Amino acid sequence: MQIVVLTKVVPDYEVPSADFELVEDRAHPRYTRMIGLYDENAVELGVQLKEKLSAELVILSYGVSDDVQFLRKALAMGADKIVLVEGTSDDPYVIAANLKMAVDKMGGADLILAGRQSSDMDRGVVHGLLAGMLDYPFIPQACSAEQADGGWKVAQITETGKRLLKLSGRGVLSITSIPENVPRIPAVKAIFAAKKKPVEKLPEIAAARMNVRELSVRIPKMESVCELLPAEDLEDTARVLLRRLKEERYL
Amino acid sequence: MGRVPYWNISYGLLIDLLSLPAMAVFAYGIYGHWQRIKQGKARIGPGMTLDAWKVGPVYLRALLVKGILGSRIYKKPCTGLAHALLFWGMAALSVGTVLVFLNVLFGLAVFSGGFNRWFMGFGLDLAGVAALIGVLFLLARRLFPPERLTLFKTNSAFVPIEAAIVLLIASGFVIEGLRIALKGADPGSFVGNWLASLLVGVGAAPLIHQYLWWLHGLLALSLIAYLPYSPLAHLLLAPVNAGLDIPIPGPKMGVIDFEAFDGEGEEAPCLGVGKMADFSWKNLLDASTCLQCGRCHEVCPAAQTGKSLSPKNVMGTLGDYLQQGKMDDDSLLDSIGSDTIYSCTTCSACMEACPVSVNQPNAILKMRQHLLMERSEIPEIMGQAHRSLEARHHPFIGTGFGPNDWRKGLDVPIYRKDETTYLLWIGCSVSYEERTQNIARSMVRILKSAGVSFGILEENRCTGDPAKQMGNEFLFTEIAGQNIEEFAALGVTKVITMCPHCFNSFTRHYPLLGASFEVVPHAVLLRELIQSKAIKLANSGATICYHDPCYLGRHNDVLADPREVVSSLGQLVEMPRRGCESFCCGGGGGNYWTEEEGTRINQTRAKEAMDTGASLIATACPFCLLMLTDGLKKYTENAMIQDIAELVCNQMEA
Ligand code: SF4
Ligand code: SF4
């Protein structure tokens, strides 16, 4: 069995807005790079499934060679190998086509997991496109999966609760965070072991771009106006807070 | 005529012969301790050169002062005095017994002249009285115990032992009284002579004397034989533990050489402590020596605010596992509990209070290392801080500030190789929190005003100390390695720290990783600048209460300098718990990033500071500042807490 996790290396997604700078409409290269927030949840779920099912867990990424050092964290968490398609495009079609090429080369995958959206572009489209290209079903906003009768039982988070779905074969899931898939801190021995795990690099293939053009990128100015509420009586504080939120039309 | 040893006793020498098997049983007991303790691994060295008298592995001063004189016991004056009376009384009585033995065997003249009167008579009676008072106090304390003695585990074997010692001393006096009643007064034996006056005319006196003599002798031999198997073993283990303890304060964690692990992968040796067999022999000696007195529990900020951690209980559990030979039982960490292990603030108050030189935080931190580095277990919020430290090299999750925001609008020189004298180390704690940024800004203004040649790194990052405190020695080594490389490339030789955790890491752990530079905490530098009149201060006369940061005071003995600084700013006010006995702010050991159970430690300490009635509270640690500022919010809206650098900067005269 082969499980693939789509993993993107992104600039620090917690850079405070006051310190955030753009260069050519993208985050300044000075920011630390790391695996995206939801992608780490997907890796964690992948590791849990691998441990349960003795599956092979592959980290599939599209990006630059320098990012391998950050992807190794996924190996330390428990994945078996990295497949990196080397490329620099930001276009979801191009990325999805390259990921499809890599999945095809692997002979397909029993399950493909991905963070629900990347932590830099926040678009959440690549996994859906990839599912379309592979002709796999796609379940967005999933939080857990378990093997069932040759397919998968998948829990999906909806706005109001949780929905249980049955996937009869292969599929692509976009993963959202829940306490059960908080990424583990890799054990030190696993960090050492990760250094020896294989990394396969594939050259990018040419693919058509999406028919959308980016016109401009803007960072909103953050403004904080602080109002302290008295905290002697917490019930009273809660009442005052509710009133103030209504007055300011936040509720 | 002088005293005749073994008077009225036939075959008295039998008791001397019986002492041989008693000593053999005693020696076997000691051997048992040795066997258990030597199962431990080698310990990691201190990482600093010590100016201490040492013979082999034994530190002589600690052996004498803490081990034999028992300096720590007197922190509780009554108990301390009782111990002293009993110990020194029994020591003198033992010397007397040996002298009698030498008299019998070799005719050593101890029963004549002034020596007989003043030592064998008066001295030994006085020793007996002292020992009796001491042991009666200790027995009464066991029968009506304070809570610390009974919490979690009671050392109940003390009661029969102390009762036996009472019987031993009392029987000794009655034997003396009977002998004198039958044979005539002994010079100097004031107790014996007085008892004799009461016993004159007792029928069967010679027979009672004989029975009591044998009872006394056999009881003494039984106690000697039983000593290593009983809680009285602390009599021997405490000096040994004190002499072998590296005489620097704090947990003495050393560093782990991860280069040795490279290439080992999953085969690498176990990290931290997951079972008794992973501890060093010193940890096992600690576990054997702990006598469950509970003094550590009484001063532990976690235990005192309702957390599951009690250092007494931790040491008790380790002692039980060791005693039961559960060396490879990996239920150890689960039976202590992950929450318990993570609630330790590493403040070392327990070490300071322990009368027998146990290093509790060292054992706790080793178990924490195992939880994190082997089992990936960490409390949630601390885990987030850890992840941030790993990815961003600072643990301040959700900070609203970039690394250079603290110096916006301020002209701060960058450290230049061969030009700048001091590196002003910024680290993380004064750059990512709004409240503490002012410490760094104040320090820059002070150094400029004093004309000190200083500079900062272009890019500041953490020392890695929070990783070490959270148990991730590996991450610490990685971050420290980068810092050491950068310092070497820049030729840094002198560093100023504003955070005592950075100071501690730089002086205790960085040298073990190859660093060599001088470090001066800002408290010391400020004192020097004031003393040399490089800066002039206007003394406001305001009352200022000083809170000792654990890592500056208790861990590194920097107690006088910040007080001198505070005294030049206003009128120094002390809290009841201060100096080496100071109470933690709650933020150490990575617990700045935690959701506390029970009463909050920072509120407890803030209240103690407020109760002094001082108009300001000063400290010399950014973490203490943040913790106490937060703790104080429960009691007042006034911003009463400031770092000494902020106060100095505010009161600097142009
Ligand atoms: S180091 Fe401090 S918090 Fe930890 S056990 Fe000792 S007294 Fe308690
Ligand atoms: S560790 Fe020390 S202070 Fe704590 S209970 Fe044991 S002997 Fe007493």
Side-chain angles (χ1 to χ4, degrees), chain A residues 12-14 16-19 30 32-34 40 73 182-193 195-196 232, chain B residues 258 261-263 265-266 268-271 372-374 376 378 386-387 390-392 398-403 408 474:
Chain A
D12 187 353
Y13 44 83
E14 267 191 17
S17 57
D19 189 41
R30 73 181 159 95
T32 316
R33 292 179 71 73
M34 55 192 70
E40 282 202 349
K73 182 178 176 190
V182 168
R184 67 190 63 193
I185 290 173
V188 169
K189 278 178 201 158
I191 296 175
F192 280 108
K195 291 185 188 170
K196 290 195 218 148
E232 275 96 59
Chain B
F258 286 99
F261 283 51
D262 225 346
E266 303 280 345
C270 165
L271 288 164
L372 188 69
M373 290 194 287
E374 293 278 350
S376 307
I378 187 167
H386 178 278
R387 261 187 283 279
E390 198 178 18
R392 308 180 180 94
T399 175
F401 299 94
K408 270 188 185 153
F474 180 70

Side-chain angles (χ1 to χ4, degrees), chain A residues 2 50 165 171 205 207 220 222 228 235:
Chain A
Q2 181 153 271
K50 171 205 150 133
L165 303 166
I205 53 164
M222 291 291 279
L228 291 174
E235 270 180 41

Side-chain angles (χ1 to χ4, degrees), chain B residues 204-232:
Chain B
L207 199 63
I208 298 175
H209 174 263
Q210 277 177 3
Y211 280 125
L212 274 184
W213 192 93
W214 283 106
L215 174 80
H216 179 83
L218 291 173
L219 191 58
L221 291 182
S222 315
L223 275 173
I224 291 173
Y226 181 48
L227 192 142
Y229 307 89
S230 74
L232 274 192

